[in-house]
Amino acid sequence: MEEMEEELKCPVCGSFYREPILLPCSHSLCLACARNILVHTPDSESPQSRRASGLSSSDYDYLDLDKMSLYSEADSGYGSYGGFASAPTTPCQKSPNGVRVFPPAMPAPHQPHHHSSGALLPPPSRHQCLTCPQCHRSLLLDERGLRGFTKNRVLEGVIERYQQSKAAALRCQLCEKSPKEATVMCEQCDVFYCEPCRLRCHPPRGPLAKHRLLPPAQGRVSRRLSPRKISTCTDHELENHSMYCVQCKTPVCYQCLEEGRHHSHEVKALGAMWKLHKSQLSQALNGLSDRAKEAKEFLVQLRNMVQHIQVQMFQLTENSVEFEACLVAQCDALIDALNRRKVQLLARVNKEHEHKLKVVRDQISHCTVKLRQTTGLMEYCLEVIKENDPSGFLQISDALIRRVHLTEDQWGKGTLTPRMTTDFDLNLDNGPLLQSIHQLDFVQMKVPSLVPAPPMLQLEECCTHNNSATLSWKQPPMSMVQAEGYILELDDGNGGQFREVFVGKETMCTVDGLHFNSTYNARVKAFNKAGVSQYSKTLVLQTSEVDIKKLVAVAWFAFDPGSAHSDIIFSNDNLTVTCNSYDDRVVLGKTGFSKGVHYWELTIDRYDNHPDPAFGVARIEVMKDVMLGKDDKAWAMYVDNNRSWFMHNNSHTNRSEGGITKGATVGVLLDFTRRTLTFSINEEQQGPVAFESMEGMLFPAVSLNRNVQVTLHTGLPIPGFYTSRASIQS
């Protein structure tokens, strides 16, 4: 009950209420304190004078006066009352409870008023105004003054019971010497007993067994509550309150009703309204009790957080030296790794420099020898032309003519083109590393409960079209944890493992390049800084059947760094690849195919020293450190600047004329409907159908060395040479 004590103290004097009166604003004041804060106003500003000027009595309702009040808690400590312009202002003070109050107004010295006849006139009459120190509403008192306010008997009784509960412990009323502390009180006997006296004088059996025994404090309260005091009317002191006016919200007596003060008001029985308001107060207290319980639990949680933070800070302080040493060691390790990488990159620059010099010097040596041979042949032919013997000349002229033409052809096949440029094609890509350094930060410990809830797939918005699938999802309606992004996963269409196809903040995604006539399983999960949620429910999607006549099956994909050889160098969002090794290395596409018709192209961005890059398809377990087609897991076409060959399991077949140069385009067409693999160069078919009986999961594949750089182009229509052949066959 100690928390209730502030409710029982006057806001003016700070002590327990003494003779409390109830103001119309529902706050209470001690009667003596109310007298102390009264403000007197001149008669010229009285309600009667106001009514004489045409204002109604309703203009002086305390609500209206409150609206006119100029009092402000942000002012300089002075207050005035609207409507009383002539009233002097009075400095305000603060009560022990911290509430601003106005001290009693000091009466100004009155000078005698002289009439023309010389008689002294009495001072002008003054009216009284009271301001509630808690809500600052202003009230004009009538001729009854403070006697017009109702006495707050309930508050007076609560204070009396509270003070008694804090008094000395109750003593037994039957002990003859040195009364002991009472343990029970009999409600019927109205006697306090200690334990020995209860056993002796109030046995639990017999006629006293039906008596109700209460704890001493509860018994004292019960004694105070019975009999109940009967309140009397403030206007008619001889009349008891018997009714309750609903509009005025106050108890009234029978005589008040007879006088017509509450004419046309709704009046109800006092007892019925008493029970109704008790019930309403009890219901309101139930809700407030629940809030108080939640507040207590919340305070416990906050105190636990304070303790946890203090423990963490203590541990951090103790381990600060070790923590700083660990941080320095981690940063030093990053610097060491960067220095090692710098040495490797410098070695690559030197190696590239030496390689360029070697290629140019080799070409100089080769051209010098060939030029010496050509010059000797020219000098020999000039001497032969000088020969005057026709028959002897004709015996060797045909052979010399062929040799001259052959030598001329040899000079015309790129021999006079430098095999190496003077530019260094080494541009250090340090952007991602710098961004990672700027983002370097401490990993925060996360609370598991802050992980977002699993997303919900919106089935009405999920659909498939041809070999594309559109999926939509959202967070659960009652989720309180915000998701920062989502991860969408699909399987391979054959019930295989799931793989990520989308990571981002959007809640809708369209996945293209799927297999026709296939069944896919899709699921999505959410993530934030605290972690990753559980998966959503799995959604089954069916793609369309392949249109064999149109042969349209469009797929978009890039090269896969995860499965490529470590010597492969990626750029242009993994669409462009080259190699840092002189040996052939293999890289696969990120998307595998097992159904439909698929076509993609590769443009030759760089082609030095006539290497033999290979293009085709392979299984995921293909060898990555040899030319494509050397094992039985790949089907490829390798090509130089003059001709091409097909190769599978190290078997070379179908040599075809026509090679590649810088800017050339190599096309690969995989047709699972006919189970064939076909190649093209510059949009013309290269050789016959390369391979037949193609089946299973196959990935686009390329093998190359450092002298070649290619760029992948996907999402292309089927080329004309193939569609025309297909229409003829159909």
Side-chain angles (χ1 to χ4, degrees), residues 146-160:
L146 294 176
R147 290 183 292 103
F149 294 117
T150 306
K151 293 183 179 179
N152 197 337
R153 300 183 185 276
V154 174
L155 178 58
E156 196 172 11
V158 172
I159 293 174
E160 185 177 354

Side-chain angles (χ1 to χ4, degrees), residues 20-35:
I21 59 174
L22 184 64
L23 303 181
C25 59
S26 299
H27 295 128
S28 298
L29 285 176
C30 296
L31 182 60
C33 294
R35 291 195 187 100

Side-chain angles (χ1 to χ4, degrees), residues 455-458 461 470-475 482-489 501-511 523-527:
M456 297 174 57
L457 286 166
Q458 301 188 81
E461 298 185 16
T470 299
L471 296 103
S472 177
W473 58 88
K474 64 179 181 179
Q475 279 293 103
Q482 188 70 25
E484 297 180 2
Y486 303 91
I487 301 173
L488 176 64
E489 296 183 358
V501 296
F502 170 78
V503 178
K505 297 181 179 180
E506 290 76 13
T507 57
M508 179 176 287
C509 176
T510 298
V511 183
R523 63 188 185 186
V524 64
K525 57 184 177 181
F527 65 87

Side-chain angles (χ1 to χ4, degrees), residues 427-440:
N427 295 320
L428 185 62
D429 184 13
N430 61 348
L433 180 59
L434 288 176
Q435 183 178 2
S436 299
I437 292 175
H438 290 314
Q439 294 175 350
L440 189 65

Side-chain angles (χ1 to χ4, degrees), residues 164-185:
Q164 289 180 358
S165 67
K166 299 189 68 175
L170 294 171
R171 300 293 174 178
C172 177
Q173 295 176 281
L174 299 182
C175 291
E176 296 180 357
K177 295 180 180 181
S178 301
K180 299 179 180 179
E181 184 177 346
T183 57
V184 294
M185 180 260 188

